[in-house]
Amino acid sequence: MTLSAERVSRAAGGRLILDGVDLSPRPGAMTGLLGPNGSGKSTLLRLLAGVLAPASGVVTLDGRPLDRIGRRDVARRIAVVEQQADTQVELTVLDVVRLGRIPHRRAWAPASAVDEEAVAEAMARTGLTGQADRLWHTLSGGERQRVQIARALAQRPRELLLDEPTNHLDIQHQLDVLALVAALPTTSVVALHDLNLAAMYCDHLVVLSEGRVVASGGPAEVLTADLVAEVYGVRAEVTGTGPGGRPHVRFLGTLTSGPTGG
């Protein structure tokens, strides 16, 4: 068993952000969370991480309600990569990645050989080995994102939650990051805007619209021209010409505009 959200709802400012959402990521698989801005993706990820509590419904981990599990135990299992992270403290890349080991260490205890091995492995997998001494505030947005992913991997989590991990990354690094996440032996939930990247790398897709799940299933099942029109207000052509026969979405224009051409 792994993470599961059952009929979760959450409101803020008098507005219902999530309305009775169910989500049960497949163990060891990569689930893509899709939907336009304001659909509730980030809020759902925070509920899964235990950062927010649902107004109704329950989030469970291995069948146990998340709010009945100690924060350290949750942190040892679940790693989170937010859209943006910043600090005024002068930290190096190595310092930031080492933060991922905090849930596994007792207070004031020095890093163990296992800690250092996990950190080195995470930096190698994200291509940061040669940048250990660089200062955080000198990094570009894309470089910071890679460091945050390395920090999450250093936790050696069984569940990994990522909120738009490809933001600020060029195309090569978008592909590298998602290929890395897809190859991990973790249960991953990844919020994405790019439908074609989701189709390429995700095993399962869940689409949110106005706080509700409107579609879930495999990429070929979920990504249809009708769904793109309904959820995004965009005319599209969906073919099975992507890598491995996965669907590819070609956008033709908004529903209120003419063809874009090309």
Side-chain angles (χ1 to χ4, degrees), residues 162-173:
L162 303 101
D163 194 357
E164 293 293 337
T166 56
N167 271 4
H168 312 298
L169 298 182
D170 58 35
I171 294 172
Q172 178 185 347
H173 286 115

Side-chain angles (χ1 to χ4, degrees), residues 146-192:
R146 289 167 61 204
V147 174
Q148 288 301 319
I149 292 171
R151 174 197 52 76
L153 295 184
Q155 286 180 237
R156 289 185 170 170
R158 285 174 55 185
E159 290 82 17
L160 180 61
L161 309 176
L162 303 101
D163 194 357
E164 293 293 337
T166 56
N167 271 4
H168 312 298
L169 298 182
D170 58 35
I171 294 172
Q172 178 185 347
H173 286 115
Q174 289 181 30
L175 299 177
D176 287 346
V177 164
L178 292 178
L180 169 63
V181 174
L184 294 172
T186 58
T187 301
S188 302
V189 182
V190 186
L192 292 168

Side-chain angles (χ1 to χ4, degrees), residues 5-75:
E6 301 172 19
R7 304 293 298 169
V8 295
S9 297
R10 174 82 185 186
R15 183 175 72 88
L16 197 59
I17 300 174
L18 291 174
D19 184 9
V21 169
D22 291 318
L23 179 67
S24 296
R26 296 177 181 175
M30 182 171 169
T31 296
L33 198 56
L34 305 179
N37 289 335
S39 60
K41 300 188 301 296
S42 294
T43 299
L44 180 55
L45 287 177
R46 292 187 180 112
L47 292 181
L48 292 172
V51 175
L52 296 176
S56 62
V58 63
V59 175
T60 60
L61 181 62
D62 293 342
R64 296 176 59 198
L66 206 59
D67 60 3
R68 298 182 188 175
I69 303 174
R71 288 301 308 159
R72 179 176 288 269
D73 290 335
V74 171

